[in-house]
Amino acid sequence: MNVVIIDYKGGNVQSVRFALERLGVHATLTSDKELIQKADKVIFPGEGEANSAMRQLKADGLDQVIPTLKQPFMGICLGMQLLCRHSEENDTPMLNIIPLDVKRFQTDLKVPHMGWNNIYNLNNPVMQGLNEKDYVYFVHSYFVPVSEYTIATADYPEPFSAAVQYKNFYAMQFHTEKSSTTGTKILKNFLDL
Amino acid sequence: MLTKRIIPCLDIKNGRTVKGVMFENIRDAGDPVALGAEYAKQGADELVFLDITATNEGRKTFASLVRDIARHIDIPFTVGGGISTIPDVELLLHEGADKVSVNSSALKYPSLVEELAKRFGSQCITVAIDTKLTQQGWKVFSRAGTVETEWDTLSWAKEVANLGAGEILLTSMSNDGTKSGFALDITGDVSRQVSIPVIASGGAGTKEHFSEVFVKANADAALAASIFHFGEVPIPELKDYLASQHLPIRL
């Protein structure tokens, strides 16, 4: 299987590569459009700030390519948010694939929402084999609200989308690659799609 | 519900784990990758690796160790020790670290915190603060706790939060190595008055100390070293105990 991780200088891409390696899958790290288009599976990690990430994607021409992809695609963390329409983070227009907007947490709780939290209302093949309320690792200050596309929910303190699916785009707010055995199951389910 | 994090800290010198008691008397406790993987298996929520090597050669060894850790461990980890420039941070994140912690360099150039947060995102920038109770109250110390700064601890904590730090690792030098419990007063003050997560460190000796720092000082996470390395407080037992105290814990 030909798995590609999109490299757009977006932080911790190695961790995703290593997580796949632990599953016996060698993934290619690239920003090459053709390699991305030809891949069987595409993973889009992300850390950092929305505006600079969008700028980098545009510089590499990836903002034109990603929306046209048809294979199973997984966005992680900022990679989830970038797939949406707009983010409150520096008022940034995003890739506009998933018709949802990214909001900042307005809460008395600490922001970033950092650490292990449980996910529930799991209703998707990529969540297969998980138990309701399993724990995954989050680090984020912005979130995608619950919608008809939500496939896993978490609370901080209000419910938000821990994961969404829209067509072939699967998007995880938490770090699947850093979520111990639970994250590994999700990655494996995605590779098995 | 977001859980309280239990974080073992591994001090690294020349690729090996060591632990200083009161920043002295270092004892060898093994291979960092093996130890880290074992902690992950036992239920540690995160790991911290602190490079206490002073030489350039040692730093290179540490960067390749970071890659090894990322390759084998499936929970988040923070690296720190002697990080002072944007390229330092870039290298360690590139090798697979999830977060970096800065300490003395942030005290020397507070704008570094802002630059790092802008460049890499707040989520991966931890500011480590070493604090000690002096006659002038809780003061911040730099250079591995050897130099007293002008900063009062609460003011510095608020300052780094404003500069964009994603988290504070607060170590009480007055408690470190004593096994008599965390510094509840200053940890509580910082945790309640800054809007970012706070990791309490220094002084853990028993399970009850962890429960105390979560309940009384509102810490978001607690870090310890030797009591984990030498099996005095096993992590599974600690987490079961905390869950029995009705604290939100990942089991």
Side-chain angles (χ1 to χ4, degrees), chain B residues 106-166:
Chain B
L107 284 159
K108 199 168 171 192
Y109 306 108
S111 62
L112 176 70
V113 177
E114 196 172 12
E115 283 168 36
L116 291 175
K118 274 204 185 122
R119 175 84 176 259
F120 304 105
S122 293
Q123 83 290 334
C124 65
I125 307 302
T126 300
V127 174
I129 302 178
D130 291 335
T131 183
K132 190 158 130 186
L133 187 57
T134 71
Q135 296 197 329
Q136 287 77 47
W138 287 98
K139 297 295 291 285
V140 177
F141 283 68
S142 75
R143 300 184 169 269
T146 58
V147 179
E148 183 172 347
T149 70
E150 294 296 304
W151 284 98
D152 143 76
T153 300
L154 191 53
S155 312
W156 178 235
K158 288 181 179 169
E159 177 73 9
V160 301
N162 285 337
L163 289 169

Short mmCIF file of all heavy atoms in Angstrom, two decimals, chain B residues 106-166:
data_model
loop_
_atom_site.label_atom_id
_atom_site.label_comp_id
_atom_site.label_asym_id
_atom_site.label_seq_id
_atom_site.Cartn_x
_atom_site.Cartn_y
_atom_site.Cartn_z
N ALA B 106 14.74 31.56 28.14
CA ALA B 106 13.54 32.41 28.16
C ALA B 106 13.72 33.55 29.16
O ALA B 106 13.25 34.67 28.93
CB ALA B 106 12.32 31.57 28.53
N LEU B 107 14.42 33.27 30.26
CA LEU B 107 14.67 34.33 31.25
C LEU B 107 15.62 35.38 30.68
O LEU B 107 15.48 36.57 30.92
CB LEU B 107 15.25 33.73 32.53
CG LEU B 107 14.22 33.00 33.39
CD1 LEU B 107 14.88 32.01 34.34
CD2 LEU B 107 13.37 34.01 34.16
N LYS B 108 16.57 34.90 29.89
CA LYS B 108 17.54 35.81 29.29
C LYS B 108 16.89 36.64 28.19
O LYS B 108 17.08 37.84 28.09
CB LYS B 108 18.70 34.98 28.73
CG LYS B 108 19.97 35.77 28.51
CD LYS B 108 21.12 34.81 28.25
CE LYS B 108 22.37 35.57 27.81
NZ LYS B 108 23.39 34.63 27.30
N TYR B 109 16.12 35.97 27.32
CA TYR B 109 15.43 36.65 26.22
C TYR B 109 13.96 36.28 26.23
O TYR B 109 13.55 35.37 25.50
CB TYR B 109 16.02 36.22 24.87
CG TYR B 109 17.51 36.36 24.74
CD1 TYR B 109 18.33 35.23 24.74
CD2 TYR B 109 18.09 37.62 24.62
CE1 TYR B 109 19.70 35.36 24.62
CE2 TYR B 109 19.47 37.75 24.50
CZ TYR B 109 20.27 36.62 24.51
OH TYR B 109 21.62 36.73 24.40
N PRO B 110 13.15 36.98 27.01
CA PRO B 110 11.72 36.60 27.07
C PRO B 110 11.05 36.58 25.70
O PRO B 110 10.13 35.79 25.48
CB PRO B 110 11.13 37.69 27.97
CG PRO B 110 12.27 38.11 28.84
CD PRO B 110 13.48 38.04 27.96
N SER B 111 11.56 37.40 24.77
CA SER B 111 10.93 37.43 23.44
C SER B 111 11.09 36.09 22.72
O SER B 111 10.35 35.79 21.78
CB SER B 111 11.53 38.54 22.58
OG SER B 111 12.90 38.29 22.41
N LEU B 112 12.04 35.26 23.17
CA LEU B 112 12.21 33.93 22.57
C LEU B 112 10.91 33.12 22.67
O LEU B 112 10.53 32.43 21.72
CB LEU B 112 13.34 33.16 23.28
CG LEU B 112 13.58 31.73 22.82
CD1 LEU B 112 14.18 31.67 21.41
CD2 LEU B 112 14.50 30.97 23.79
N VAL B 113 10.22 33.23 23.79
CA VAL B 113 8.98 32.47 23.99
C VAL B 113 7.96 32.88 22.93
O VAL B 113 7.31 32.04 22.31
CB VAL B 113 8.41 32.71 25.41
CG1 VAL B 113 7.08 31.98 25.59
CG2 VAL B 113 9.41 32.28 26.47
N GLU B 114 7.87 34.18 22.71
CA GLU B 114 6.93 34.71 21.73
C GLU B 114 7.28 34.23 20.31
O GLU B 114 6.42 33.80 19.55
CB GLU B 114 6.97 36.24 21.79
CG GLU B 114 5.81 36.91 21.13
CD GLU B 114 5.81 38.40 21.41
OE1 GLU B 114 6.83 38.94 21.93
OE2 GLU B 114 4.78 39.04 21.12
N GLU B 115 8.58 34.30 20.00
CA GLU B 115 9.03 33.87 18.67
C GLU B 115 8.75 32.38 18.44
O GLU B 115 8.30 31.98 17.38
CB GLU B 115 10.53 34.13 18.49
CG GLU B 115 10.86 35.58 18.23
CD GLU B 115 12.36 35.84 18.36
OE1 GLU B 115 13.16 34.97 17.98
OE2 GLU B 115 12.73 36.93 18.85
N LEU B 116 9.04 31.58 19.48
CA LEU B 116 8.83 30.14 19.35
C LEU B 116 7.35 29.82 19.20
O LEU B 116 6.96 28.98 18.38
CB LEU B 116 9.40 29.40 20.56
CG LEU B 116 10.92 29.40 20.69
CD1 LEU B 116 11.34 28.73 22.00
CD2 LEU B 116 11.59 28.70 19.52
N ALA B 117 6.51 30.52 19.98
CA ALA B 117 5.07 30.26 19.92
C ALA B 117 4.53 30.62 18.54
O ALA B 117 3.70 29.92 17.96
CB ALA B 117 4.35 31.04 21.01
N LYS B 118 5.02 31.74 17.98
CA LYS B 118 4.55 32.16 16.66
C LYS B 118 4.99 31.18 15.59
O LYS B 118 4.24 30.83 14.69
CB LYS B 118 5.13 33.55 16.33
CG LYS B 118 4.26 34.65 16.87
CD LYS B 118 4.44 35.94 16.10
CE LYS B 118 3.64 37.04 16.76
NZ LYS B 118 4.48 38.18 17.15
N ARG B 119 6.25 30.76 15.71
CA ARG B 119 6.82 29.91 14.69
C ARG B 119 6.27 28.47 14.73
O ARG B 119 5.95 27.89 13.71
CB ARG B 119 8.34 29.92 14.87
CG ARG B 119 9.11 28.99 13.97
CD ARG B 119 9.37 29.65 12.63
NE ARG B 119 10.20 28.79 11.82
CZ ARG B 119 11.51 28.94 11.65
NH1 ARG B 119 12.12 29.95 12.21
NH2 ARG B 119 12.19 28.10 10.90
N PHE B 120 6.19 27.92 15.95
CA PHE B 120 5.85 26.49 16.05
C PHE B 120 4.47 26.24 16.67
O PHE B 120 4.01 25.10 16.70
CB PHE B 120 6.92 25.76 16.86
CG PHE B 120 8.31 25.92 16.30
CD1 PHE B 120 9.22 26.75 16.91
CD2 PHE B 120 8.68 25.25 15.14
CE1 PHE B 120 10.50 26.92 16.38
CE2 PHE B 120 9.95 25.42 14.60
CZ PHE B 120 10.87 26.26 15.23
N GLY B 121 3.85 27.28 17.19
CA GLY B 121 2.55 27.12 17.86
C GLY B 121 2.75 26.96 19.37
O GLY B 121 3.66 26.28 19.81
N SER B 122 1.85 27.60 20.13
CA SER B 122 1.93 27.54 21.60
C SER B 122 1.92 26.11 22.12
O SER B 122 2.51 25.81 23.14
CB SER B 122 0.75 28.27 22.23
OG SER B 122 0.83 29.64 21.96
N GLN B 123 1.19 25.23 21.40
CA GLN B 123 0.96 23.88 21.92
C GLN B 123 2.25 23.11 22.16
O GLN B 123 2.27 22.19 22.94
CB GLN B 123 0.02 23.10 20.99
CG GLN B 123 0.65 22.43 19.80
CD GLN B 123 1.15 23.41 18.73
OE1 GLN B 123 0.64 24.52 18.61
NE2 GLN B 123 2.16 23.02 17.98
N CYS B 124 3.33 23.50 21.51
CA CYS B 124 4.56 22.72 21.70
C CYS B 124 5.63 23.48 22.48
O CYS B 124 6.76 23.03 22.57
CB CYS B 124 5.10 22.22 20.35
SG CYS B 124 5.61 23.50 19.24
N ILE B 125 5.25 24.62 23.06
CA ILE B 125 6.23 25.39 23.82
C ILE B 125 5.89 25.38 25.32
O ILE B 125 4.92 25.99 25.77
CB ILE B 125 6.31 26.86 23.32
CG1 ILE B 125 6.54 26.91 21.80
CG2 ILE B 125 7.41 27.62 24.08
CD1 ILE B 125 7.79 26.21 21.30
N THR B 126 6.71 24.66 26.07
CA THR B 126 6.57 24.61 27.52
C THR B 126 7.65 25.51 28.12
O THR B 126 8.79 25.47 27.68
CB THR B 126 6.80 23.16 28.02
OG1 THR B 126 5.83 22.31 27.41
CG2 THR B 126 6.68 23.06 29.54
N VAL B 127 7.27 26.33 29.09
CA VAL B 127 8.30 27.08 29.80
C VAL B 127 8.50 26.43 31.17
O VAL B 127 7.55 26.25 31.93
CB VAL B 127 7.95 28.57 29.95
CG1 VAL B 127 8.98 29.28 30.83
CG2 VAL B 127 7.92 29.24 28.58
N ALA B 128 9.74 26.02 31.43
CA ALA B 128 10.09 25.42 32.72
C ALA B 128 10.52 26.54 33.65
O ALA B 128 11.31 27.41 33.26
CB ALA B 128 11.20 24.40 32.54
N ILE B 129 9.96 26.54 34.84
CA ILE B 129 10.31 27.56 35.83
C ILE B 129 10.83 26.86 37.08
O ILE B 129 10.15 26.01 37.65
CB ILE B 129 9.07 28.42 36.20
CG1 ILE B 129 8.48 29.10 34.95
CG2 ILE B 129 9.43 29.45 37.27
CD1 ILE B 129 7.22 29.93 35.22
N ASP B 130 12.07 27.19 37.46
CA ASP B 130 12.62 26.68 38.72
C ASP B 130 12.40 27.74 39.78
O ASP B 130 12.86 28.88 39.63
CB ASP B 130 14.12 26.40 38.58
CG ASP B 130 14.40 25.21 37.66
OD1 ASP B 130 13.50 24.34 37.53
OD2 ASP B 130 15.50 25.14 37.08
N THR B 131 11.72 27.37 40.85
CA THR B 131 11.39 28.37 41.86
C THR B 131 11.86 27.91 43.24
O THR B 131 11.97 26.70 43.50
CB THR B 131 9.88 28.66 41.87
OG1 THR B 131 9.60 29.69 42.82
CG2 THR B 131 9.06 27.42 42.24
N LYS B 132 12.16 28.89 44.08
CA LYS B 132 12.64 28.57 45.43
C LYS B 132 12.06 29.62 46.38
O LYS B 132 11.98 30.80 46.03
CB LYS B 132 14.17 28.63 45.43
CG LYS B 132 14.82 28.10 46.69
CD LYS B 132 16.25 27.70 46.36
CE LYS B 132 17.27 28.27 47.30
NZ LYS B 132 18.64 27.96 46.85
N LEU B 133 11.69 29.15 47.57
CA LEU B 133 11.16 30.08 48.57
C LEU B 133 12.33 30.81 49.24
O LEU B 133 13.18 30.19 49.86
CB LEU B 133 10.34 29.33 49.61
CG LEU B 133 9.59 30.19 50.63
CD1 LEU B 133 8.65 31.17 49.96
CD2 LEU B 133 8.83 29.32 51.62
N THR B 134 12.36 32.13 49.05
CA THR B 134 13.43 32.94 49.66
C THR B 134 12.78 33.89 50.65
O THR B 134 11.55 33.89 50.80
CB THR B 134 14.16 33.78 48.59
OG1 THR B 134 13.28 34.82 48.15
CG2 THR B 134 14.59 32.93 47.40
N GLN B 135 13.58 34.72 51.27
CA GLN B 135 13.00 35.70 52.21
C GLN B 135 12.13 36.71 51.49
O GLN B 135 11.28 37.35 52.10
CB GLN B 135 14.12 36.38 52.98
CG GLN B 135 14.85 35.35 53.84
CD GLN B 135 15.69 35.97 54.93
OE1 GLN B 135 16.21 37.06 54.77
NE2 GLN B 135 15.82 35.26 56.05
N GLN B 136 12.34 36.83 50.16
CA GLN B 136 11.49 37.74 49.36
C GLN B 136 10.32 36.98 48.72
O GLN B 136 9.70 37.48 47.80
CB GLN B 136 12.32 38.41 48.26
CG GLN B 136 13.28 39.49 48.73
CD GLN B 136 14.53 38.90 49.37
OE1 GLN B 136 15.14 37.98 48.83
NE2 GLN B 136 14.89 39.41 50.54
N GLY B 137 10.05 35.80 49.19
CA GLY B 137 8.96 35.02 48.61
C GLY B 137 9.49 34.04 47.56
O GLY B 137 10.69 33.76 47.51
N TRP B 138 8.57 33.51 46.73
CA TRP B 138 8.95 32.52 45.72
C TRP B 138 9.60 33.22 44.54
O TRP B 138 8.96 33.92 43.78
CB TRP B 138 7.72 31.75 45.24
CG TRP B 138 7.21 30.77 46.24
CD1 TRP B 138 6.18 30.95 47.12
CD2 TRP B 138 7.70 29.45 46.48
NE1 TRP B 138 6.00 29.82 47.89
CE2 TRP B 138 6.92 28.87 47.52
CE3 TRP B 138 8.73 28.68 45.91
CZ2 TRP B 138 7.13 27.58 48.00
CZ3 TRP B 138 8.94 27.39 46.39
CH2 TRP B 138 8.15 26.86 47.42
N LYS B 139 10.93 33.02 44.39
CA LYS B 139 11.68 33.67 43.31
C LYS B 139 12.07 32.65 42.24
O LYS B 139 12.19 31.45 42.51
CB LYS B 139 12.97 34.31 43.87
CG LYS B 139 12.72 35.43 44.88
CD LYS B 139 12.02 36.64 44.28
CE LYS B 139 12.87 37.42 43.30
NZ LYS B 139 13.92 38.22 43.95
N VAL B 140 12.25 33.16 41.02
CA VAL B 140 12.65 32.32 39.89
C VAL B 140 14.17 32.23 39.83
O VAL B 140 14.85 33.25 39.98
CB VAL B 140 12.10 32.89 38.56
CG1 VAL B 140 12.58 32.05 37.38
CG2 VAL B 140 10.58 32.99 38.61
N PHE B 141 14.67 31.03 39.62
CA PHE B 141 16.11 30.79 39.49
C PHE B 141 16.42 30.31 38.08
O PHE B 141 15.63 29.58 37.48
CB PHE B 141 16.59 29.76 40.51
CG PHE B 141 16.71 30.35 41.91
CD1 PHE B 141 15.58 30.75 42.62
CD2 PHE B 141 17.96 30.51 42.48
CE1 PHE B 141 15.70 31.31 43.88
CE2 PHE B 141 18.09 31.07 43.74
CZ PHE B 141 16.96 31.47 44.45
N SER B 142 17.58 30.72 37.57
CA SER B 142 17.97 30.26 36.23
C SER B 142 19.23 29.41 36.33
O SER B 142 19.77 29.20 37.43
CB SER B 142 18.17 31.45 35.29
OG SER B 142 19.39 32.08 35.59
N ARG B 143 19.67 28.92 35.17
CA ARG B 143 20.89 28.10 35.08
C ARG B 143 20.86 26.93 36.04
O ARG B 143 21.66 26.84 36.97
CB ARG B 143 22.14 28.96 35.29
CG ARG B 143 22.23 30.07 34.26
CD ARG B 143 23.49 30.87 34.37
NE ARG B 143 23.60 31.72 33.19
CZ ARG B 143 24.24 31.36 32.09
NH1 ARG B 143 24.81 30.19 31.99
NH2 ARG B 143 24.28 32.18 31.06
N ALA B 144 19.88 26.04 35.82
CA ALA B 144 19.72 24.83 36.64
C ALA B 144 19.62 25.18 38.13
O ALA B 144 20.12 24.45 38.98
CB ALA B 144 20.84 23.83 36.38
N GLY B 145 18.99 26.30 38.39
CA GLY B 145 18.73 26.64 39.79
C GLY B 145 19.88 27.29 40.53
O GLY B 145 19.85 27.43 41.75
N THR B 146 20.91 27.72 39.77
CA THR B 146 22.08 28.26 40.47
C THR B 146 22.06 29.78 40.60
O THR B 146 22.77 30.33 41.44
CB THR B 146 23.38 27.86 39.74
OG1 THR B 146 23.30 28.35 38.39
CG2 THR B 146 23.57 26.35 39.73
N VAL B 147 21.28 30.46 39.76
CA VAL B 147 21.31 31.92 39.76
C VAL B 147 19.92 32.49 40.07
O VAL B 147 18.95 32.21 39.37
CB VAL B 147 21.78 32.46 38.38
CG1 VAL B 147 21.78 33.98 38.37
CG2 VAL B 147 23.16 31.91 38.03
N GLU B 148 19.83 33.28 41.12
CA GLU B 148 18.56 33.90 41.46
C GLU B 148 18.28 35.05 40.50
O GLU B 148 19.17 35.85 40.21
CB GLU B 148 18.57 34.42 42.90
CG GLU B 148 17.22 34.99 43.31
CD GLU B 148 17.12 35.35 44.79
OE1 GLU B 148 18.00 34.93 45.57
OE2 GLU B 148 16.16 36.05 45.15
N THR B 149 17.05 35.12 39.98
CA THR B 149 16.71 36.23 39.07
C THR B 149 15.89 37.27 39.82
O THR B 149 15.53 37.08 40.98
CB THR B 149 15.88 35.72 37.87
OG1 THR B 149 14.58 35.36 38.36
CG2 THR B 149 16.52 34.53 37.19
N GLU B 150 15.57 38.32 39.11
CA GLU B 150 14.74 39.38 39.68
C GLU B 150 13.27 38.98 39.76
O GLU B 150 12.47 39.62 40.41
CB GLU B 150 14.83 40.64 38.78
CG GLU B 150 16.20 41.28 38.76
CD GLU B 150 16.56 41.80 40.14
OE1 GLU B 150 15.79 42.60 40.69
OE2 GLU B 150 17.62 41.37 40.68
N TRP B 151 12.93 37.93 39.02
CA TRP B 151 11.51 37.61 38.84
C TRP B 151 10.88 36.95 40.06
O TRP B 151 11.41 35.99 40.60
CB TRP B 151 11.32 36.67 37.66
CG TRP B 151 11.42 37.33 36.32
CD1 TRP B 151 12.52 37.34 35.51
CD2 TRP B 151 10.40 38.05 35.63
NE1 TRP B 151 12.24 38.02 34.36
CE2 TRP B 151 10.94 38.47 34.40
CE3 TRP B 151 9.06 38.38 35.94
CZ2 TRP B 151 10.21 39.21 33.48
CZ3 TRP B 151 8.33 39.11 35.01
CH2 TRP B 151 8.91 39.53 33.81
N ASP B 152 9.73 37.47 40.41
CA ASP B 152 8.86 36.81 41.35
C ASP B 152 8.11 35.74 40.53
O ASP B 152 7.77 35.97 39.38
CB ASP B 152 7.96 37.91 41.92
CG ASP B 152 6.57 37.44 42.15
OD1 ASP B 152 6.39 36.73 43.13
OD2 ASP B 152 5.68 37.76 41.33
N THR B 153 7.90 34.57 41.10
CA THR B 153 7.44 33.41 40.32
C THR B 153 6.08 33.62 39.65
O THR B 153 5.89 33.31 38.48
CB THR B 153 7.41 32.16 41.22
OG1 THR B 153 8.75 31.95 41.68
CG2 THR B 153 6.94 30.92 40.48
N LEU B 154 5.14 34.18 40.39
CA LEU B 154 3.81 34.38 39.83
C LEU B 154 3.86 35.37 38.64
O LEU B 154 3.22 35.15 37.61
CB LEU B 154 2.86 34.87 40.92
CG LEU B 154 1.39 34.89 40.59
CD1 LEU B 154 0.91 33.53 40.09
CD2 LEU B 154 0.58 35.29 41.83
N SER B 155 4.67 36.43 38.78
CA SER B 155 4.76 37.42 37.69
C SER B 155 5.38 36.80 36.45
O SER B 155 4.94 37.06 35.32
CB SER B 155 5.62 38.62 38.09
OG SER B 155 5.26 39.08 39.34
N TRP B 156 6.42 35.99 36.66
CA TRP B 156 7.07 35.36 35.50
C TRP B 156 6.11 34.36 34.83
O TRP B 156 6.04 34.29 33.60
CB TRP B 156 8.37 34.69 35.94
CG TRP B 156 9.12 33.94 34.86
CD1 TRP B 156 9.51 32.64 34.89
CD2 TRP B 156 9.58 34.46 33.59
NE1 TRP B 156 10.17 32.30 33.74
CE2 TRP B 156 10.23 33.40 32.92
CE3 TRP B 156 9.49 35.71 32.97
CZ2 TRP B 156 10.80 33.56 31.64
CZ3 TRP B 156 10.05 35.86 31.69
CH2 TRP B 156 10.69 34.80 31.05
N ALA B 157 5.36 33.63 35.63
CA ALA B 157 4.41 32.67 35.07
C ALA B 157 3.37 33.39 34.21
O ALA B 157 3.04 32.96 33.10
CB ALA B 157 3.74 31.88 36.18
N LYS B 158 2.87 34.52 34.72
CA LYS B 158 1.88 35.29 33.94
C LYS B 158 2.51 35.84 32.67
O LYS B 158 1.89 35.85 31.61
CB LYS B 158 1.34 36.45 34.79
CG LYS B 158 0.41 36.00 35.90
CD LYS B 158 -0.09 37.21 36.68
CE LYS B 158 -1.03 36.80 37.79
NZ LYS B 158 -1.32 37.92 38.71
N GLU B 159 3.76 36.29 32.80
CA GLU B 159 4.46 36.84 31.65
C GLU B 159 4.62 35.80 30.54
O GLU B 159 4.33 36.07 29.38
CB GLU B 159 5.84 37.36 32.11
CG GLU B 159 6.74 37.90 31.02
CD GLU B 159 6.29 39.26 30.48
OE1 GLU B 159 5.37 39.85 31.07
OE2 GLU B 159 6.86 39.71 29.46
N VAL B 160 5.06 34.59 30.89
CA VAL B 160 5.27 33.59 29.82
C VAL B 160 3.94 33.15 29.21
O VAL B 160 3.88 32.87 28.01
CB VAL B 160 6.10 32.36 30.28
CG1 VAL B 160 7.47 32.80 30.77
CG2 VAL B 160 5.39 31.52 31.32
N ALA B 161 2.88 33.14 30.02
CA ALA B 161 1.57 32.80 29.46
C ALA B 161 1.17 33.87 28.43
O ALA B 161 0.68 33.55 27.35
CB ALA B 161 0.53 32.67 30.57
N ASN B 162 1.42 35.13 28.77
CA ASN B 162 1.11 36.21 27.84
C ASN B 162 1.96 36.16 26.58
O ASN B 162 1.51 36.54 25.50
CB ASN B 162 1.33 37.58 28.50
CG ASN B 162 0.23 37.90 29.48
OD1 ASN B 162 -0.87 37.35 29.38
ND2 ASN B 162 0.53 38.73 30.47
N LEU B 163 3.19 35.69 26.74
CA LEU B 163 4.09 35.62 25.58
C LEU B 163 3.74 34.46 24.65
O LEU B 163 4.29 34.36 23.56
CB LEU B 163 5.55 35.47 26.06
CG LEU B 163 6.17 36.72 26.70
CD1 LEU B 163 7.50 36.37 27.37
CD2 LEU B 163 6.37 37.82 25.66
N GLY B 164 2.86 33.57 25.10
CA GLY B 164 2.41 32.50 24.19
C GLY B 164 2.84 31.10 24.58
O GLY B 164 2.67 30.16 23.80
N ALA B 165 3.41 30.94 25.78
CA ALA B 165 3.75 29.58 26.22
C ALA B 165 2.47 28.74 26.25
O ALA B 165 1.39 29.26 26.54
CB ALA B 165 4.39 29.60 27.60
N GLY B 166 2.59 27.44 25.97
CA GLY B 166 1.41 26.58 25.96
C GLY B 166 1.21 25.88 27.29
O GLY B 166 0.14 25.31 27.55
#
